[in-house]
Amino acid sequence: MPAGVLIEDSPFGRIVVPASLPQARAVFYTTADFDGRLNAAVAREIAGFISGRFGIEASLNTCTQVHGATVVPVRPEKEWRECDSCDALWTAEAHVAIGIKVADCLPVTLVDPGHGVLANIHSGWRGAVQRITDVTLDSIERETAFEAAPALAYLGPSIRLCCFEVGEEVAAQFDERFVDRSRARPHVDLVALTAARLLARGFHPSRIIDCGLCTRCEGSMFHSFRREGKGGGRNLAIAAQ
């Protein structure tokens, strides 16, 4: 397990937590111990866990994800809210938790503690091609005083270059810098691509924090669509403030 993360027990089994988080912020990832399926009761349990573990009272907002680049700003709600047909959520208000469902796609969490901005992005290869991280930052910067240089970006468990084999029709949509052609079939590095986009937007390299965990590797503790297929579970990437 990389040194920059902690494994903890929770009501949902093991979770992974970045070792360093800003004050009054939560970021964590569920594992294959939990199927990731949500309903109102589970959402309340997640909110209770966030309160007890991180000391943050927050309502949970999640996405009905469509592998696009639609971004939705969210506000505190009394109950769990599932936002329709989007792949990124952000807020500039307190008492909000944002959840993304992943099973190989890359969860990208952005935190600007100075301006109270929090975002959670579901970035699969289709979203990455559509520059969903840039689209999210554009949305945030239009409406807030967000600053990239002091902000933090957490790159969560996802399929990595080692395992992300794709067809030529997918590889052709990426900058060749992020395609490994040394093997029989191309492999794409979504993490490196995302980090490059964050750097281009002004994030400091030391504040782009990659957990280094692959969901597809043999023995991985996470759900993987590539390994389990459509009937498999989902890992939740949760952020709150």
Side-chain angles (χ1 to χ4, degrees):
M1 185 63 57
V5 297
L6 306 171
I7 300 178
E8 301 181 5
D9 291 326
S10 80
F12 322 101
R14 295 167 297 172
I15 61 170
V16 173
V17 183
S20 178
L21 289 170
Q23 187 175 11
R25 302 298 188 283
V27 178
F28 65 93
Y29 312 98
T30 63
T31 67
D33 295 345
F34 173 56
D35 64 15
R37 291 179 171 83
L38 292 168
N39 55 42
V42 172
R44 285 193 292 272
E45 192 171 14
I46 290 171
F49 173 72
I50 293 170
S51 175
R53 166 62 177 81
F54 298 96
I56 300 169
E57 299 294 331
S59 58
L60 179 63
N61 296 262
T62 56
C63 295
T64 300
Q65 295 163 200
V66 293
H67 295 276
T70 299
V71 181
V72 174
V74 294
R75 300 171 59 87
E77 302 282 346
K78 290 184 178 179
E79 296 291 338
W80 167 52
R81 178 192 177 203
E82 178 95 335
C83 302
D84 185 41
S85 300
C86 63
D87 284 87
L89 302 172
W90 69 268
T91 190
E93 299 193 42
H95 308 298
V96 175
I98 301 171
I100 298 296
K101 297 162 250 177
V102 294
D104 283 335
C105 296
L106 176 65
V108 183
T109 303
L110 309 178
V111 184
D112 178 357
H115 296 96
V117 177
L118 181 71
N120 225 355
I121 304 165
H122 165 251
S123 182
W125 74 261
R126 292 176 179 85
V129 166
Q130 297 173 72
R131 293 200 167 190
I132 188 170
T133 298
D134 286 274
V135 173
T136 304
L137 285 165
D138 290 343
S139 176
I140 292 168
E141 290 172 354
R142 280 194 299 269
E143 299 188 39
T144 74
F146 178 89
E147 290 184 87
L152 293 147
Y154 295 92
L155 307 183
S158 66
I159 195 167
R160 301 285 162 143
L161 177 63
C162 53
C163 295
F164 194 22
E165 179 184 287
V166 300
E168 186 55 48
E169 72 285 357
V170 173
Q173 298 181 61
F174 289 91
D175 187 313
E176 284 294 316
R177 291 178 297 164
F178 308 111
V179 180
D180 176 6
R181 296 186 180 278
S182 65
R183 288 170 267 194
R185 287 168 60 86
H187 285 58
V188 170
D189 194 339
L190 287 180
V191 175
L193 180 154
T194 302
R197 293 309 312 150
L198 291 166
L199 290 169
R201 296 296 295 247
F203 280 77
H204 191 277
S206 68
R207 299 179 76 77
I208 301 172
I209 301 163
D210 178 17
C211 74
L213 297 169
C214 181
T215 50
R216 177 63 182 84
C217 276
E218 191 68 29
S220 173
M221 63 192 293
F222 299 98
H223 294 292
S224 167
F225 182 84
R226 289 274 180 117
R227 188 175 61 246
E228 301 171 6
K230 291 183 178 180
R234 296 294 182 266
N235 313 302
L236 301 182
I238 305 288
Q241 66 180 18

